[in-house]
């Protein structure tokens, strides 16, 4: 029965317009948008990719964006807007949601704006408009949903985990060198990402395990500050990579041993799934939607925010005990499979037609 039902759903082919940041931009939203577009296309749908861009420069071309959106909206059955919070939500997503609704199209808002939802700032009525106008708001995690509902509760929402292309990351044979384990963190270098916290924790780890290695992958306004803090702490064995293409990133992740994550805001944590697919246990502050992925003491460790002592303890526990490490690693591989397209696509096709 299940097979028949799934086939009926997938036999309905759609023309889907996806508005999102696409390459050459980098980051979690870009990865999500590319995964959705590729997988919808593989299922036989027609997908129009409309570049939303990121940053201030993308705002300069808004008139052209609106014209392109109008053109592709007229050709589409479903409009899918992938957006975070901030200017992009109100200067790009909101006007385009209005255009889609005026033209009678089904409009879905895939909202991944962790920072705005996690903050203590109250939302006014204007903040709520994009969510109220959308036919369905798609949220990436249950924890993130609970945070959003504290801001606005009269929206039509569903929870669909982010799609992760885990195949290129799969590595079930990752071995750990208990004398010189490699820690890795992949995040844009902004204040909320917690790189300074990770350096402070790494200092404590190196006091017990002096040959431990730390890799940072990313770039951003905090890069200089991070380098200066590392020098101030007199840390060794640190390497900072600029942002990498997915293929190169997957190869690097297969060489690391433990993924560490200190972000204050996180709606989902796509990179955590990629890390698990690579065979890496995750140690992370328990913020936002991370606990939808990391199951404490099963595929990693959830740490109270800014608890350096316990963060260090869990890293060393994984690094020193290889049997325990490989036990956790098996759970990581299994967890990552929950977020591939085959596991999630039925939920997406359902929101195309069901309110």
């Amino acid at each position: 029965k299940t097979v028949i039902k799934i086939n009926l759903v997938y036999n309905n082919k759609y023309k889907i317009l996806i508005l999102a940041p696409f390459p050459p931009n980098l980051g979690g939203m870009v990865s999500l948008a590319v995964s959705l577009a590729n997988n919808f296309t593989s299922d036989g749908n027609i997908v129009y990719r409309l570049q939303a861009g990121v940053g201030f420069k993308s705002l300069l071309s808004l008139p052209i964006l609106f014209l392109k959106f109008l053109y592709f909206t007229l050709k589409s059955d479903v409009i899918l807007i992938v957006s975070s919070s901030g200017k992009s939500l109100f200067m790009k997503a909101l006007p385009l949601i209005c255009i889609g609704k005026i033209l009678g199209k089904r409009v879905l808002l895939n909202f991944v704006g962790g920072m705005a939802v996690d903050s203590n700032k109250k939302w006014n009525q204007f903040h709520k408009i994009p969510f109220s106008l959308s036919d369905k708001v798609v949220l990436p995690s249950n924890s993130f949903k609970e945070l959003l509902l504290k801001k606005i509760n009269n929206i039509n929402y569903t929870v669909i985990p982010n799609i992760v292309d885990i195949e290129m990351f799969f590595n079930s044979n990752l071995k750990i060198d208990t004398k010189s384990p490699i820690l890795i963190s992949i995040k844009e270098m902004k204040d909320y990402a917690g790189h300074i916290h990770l350096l402070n924790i790494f200092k404590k780890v190196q006091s017990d395990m002096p040959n431990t290695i730390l890799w940072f992958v990313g770039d951003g306004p905090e890069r200089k500050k991070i380098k200066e803090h590392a020098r101030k702490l007199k840390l060794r064995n640190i390497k900072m990579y600029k942002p990498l293409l997915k293929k190169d990133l997957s190869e690097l992740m297969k060489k690391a041993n433990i993924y560490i994550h200190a972000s204050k805001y996180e709606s989902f944590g796509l990179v955590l799934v990629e890390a698990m697919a690579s065979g890496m246990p995750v140690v992370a502050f328990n913020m936002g939607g991370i606990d939808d992925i990391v199951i404490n003491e099963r595929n990693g460790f959830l740490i109270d925010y800014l608890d350096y002592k316990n963060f260090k303890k869990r890293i060393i526990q994984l690094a020193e005990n290889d049997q325990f490490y490989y036990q956790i690693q098996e759970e990581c591989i299994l967890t990552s499979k929950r977020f591939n397209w085959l596991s999630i696509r039925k939920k997406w096709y359902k929101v195309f037609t069901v309110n």
Side-chain angles (χ1 to χ4, degrees):
K1 292 182 179 180
T2 302
V3 173
I4 294 174
K5 184 176 181 181
I6 290 175
N7 285 340
L8 286 173
V9 172
Y10 299 159
N11 281 337
N12 293 327
K13 304 305 179 185
Y14 299 91
K15 295 178 181 178
I16 307 163
L17 170 57
I18 300 180
L19 173 74
F22 283 101
N25 299 295
L26 299 171
M29 273 205 303
V30 177
S31 297
L32 172 61
V34 170
S35 295
L36 286 169
N38 289 345
N39 284 298
F40 284 135
T41 300
S42 295
D43 282 351
N45 303 287
I46 296 174
V47 177
Y48 307 111
R49 307 182 188 207
L50 186 54
Q51 174 68 272
V54 294
F56 178 75
K57 288 184 179 180
S58 67
L59 299 178
L60 300 177
S61 58
L62 282 180
I64 296 174
L65 175 65
F66 292 163
L67 288 174
K68 288 182 177 179
F69 183 85
L70 178 60
Y71 173 76
F72 286 111
T73 296
L74 291 170
K75 301 171 66 173
S76 302
D77 304 311
V78 179
I79 313 300
L80 173 57
I81 299 175
V82 181
S83 179
S84 62
S85 53
K87 291 183 177 64
S88 64
L89 179 61
F90 299 104
M91 297 186 72
K92 298 177 190 175
L94 177 55
L96 300 181
I97 290 171
C98 293
I99 292 172
K101 294 296 293 180
I102 290 171
L103 294 175
K105 304 297 182 177
R106 184 163 179 79
V107 180
L108 310 175
L109 174 61
N110 192 182
F111 182 63
V112 294
M115 184 182 298
V117 173
D118 282 355
S119 71
N120 293 321
K121 294 181 181 179
K122 291 185 178 180
W123 284 16
N124 56 38
Q125 291 302 314
F126 179 70
H127 282 90
K128 301 175 183 179
I129 293 175
F131 304 91
S132 300
L133 289 180
S134 300
D135 290 297
K136 184 80 77 172
V137 179
V138 179
L139 305 172
S141 66
N142 287 295
S143 297
F144 184 64
K145 173 201 72 176
E146 296 300 327
L147 292 170
L148 181 62
L149 292 181
K150 292 179 182 179
K151 306 285 187 180
I152 175 173
N153 54 21
N154 58 334
I155 59 172
N156 187 7
Y157 69 86
T158 189
V159 175
I160 304 178
N162 286 348
I163 306 297
V164 185
D165 290 330
I166 57 176
E167 287 75 15
M168 73 170 65
F169 291 91
F170 267 140
N171 180 25
S172 58
N173 297 313
L174 180 62
K175 306 297 181 184
I176 185 167
D177 183 346
T178 56
K179 294 182 180 179
S180 55
I182 300 173
L183 315 180
I184 188 171
S185 182
I186 304 162
K187 190 74 177 175
E188 187 176 5
M189 292 178 173
K190 293 186 175 181
D191 181 60
Y192 72 86
H195 293 86
I196 299 298
H197 298 314
L198 293 178
L199 290 176
N200 293 336
I201 293 165
F202 185 59
K203 175 73 173 178
K204 295 178 180 294
V205 171
Q206 278 201 330
S207 66
D208 288 1
M209 302 183 70
N211 294 323
T212 306
I213 299 166
L214 174 61
W215 293 343
F216 281 154
V217 182
D219 205 356
E222 295 290 303
R223 188 178 186 88
K224 182 178 179 181
K225 181 179 177 181
I226 293 165
K227 284 186 173 181
E228 290 174 350
H229 194 68
R231 283 194 293 268
K232 179 181 176 181
L233 295 179
K234 298 180 180 179
L235 296 172
R236 307 174 310 282
N237 301 336
I238 295 180
K239 188 167 185 178
M240 296 175 63
Y241 295 86
K242 288 292 184 74
L244 299 171
L245 297 175
K246 279 294 179 183
K247 181 179 179 182
D248 298 323
L249 182 63
S250 66
E251 292 304 314
L252 185 68
M253 292 177 77
K254 291 173 184 177
K255 299 173 183 176
N257 303 120
I258 300 170
Y259 190 86
I260 55 177
H261 197 74
S263 182
K264 186 176 182 180
Y265 308 114
E266 196 67 77
S267 62
F268 179 76
L270 184 146
V271 70
L272 305 183
V273 179
E274 294 172 343
M276 289 185 180
S278 302
M280 278 189 284
V282 173
V283 183
F285 287 139
N286 189 10
M287 303 299 291
I290 288 177
D291 61 0
D292 271 30
I293 303 170
V294 181
I295 304 171
N296 195 39
E297 299 187 13
R298 185 170 173 180
N299 56 19
F301 292 100
L302 294 171
I303 311 297
D304 291 338
Y305 190 60
L306 300 185
D307 185 351
Y308 288 6
K309 182 178 179 180
N310 195 30
F311 208 116
K312 168 203 167 183
K313 174 185 173 182
R314 295 309 191 181
I315 290 173
I316 291 177
Q317 182 181 0
L318 286 165
E320 288 187 335
N321 187 338
D322 56 352
Q323 285 190 329
F324 178 68
Y325 177 89
Y326 296 132
Q327 176 184 331
I328 296 288
Q329 184 184 72
E330 289 182 10
E331 289 293 335
C332 291
I333 301 293
L334 291 174
T335 298
S336 70
K337 294 178 181 179
R338 289 171 32 212
F339 302 99
N340 66 11
W341 182 240
L342 291 177
S343 301
I344 293 174
R345 65 178 178 175
K346 182 180 176 181
K347 295 180 180 180
W348 271 108
Y349 287 114
K350 184 177 180 180
V351 300
F352 282 5
T353 56
V354 178
N355 285 324

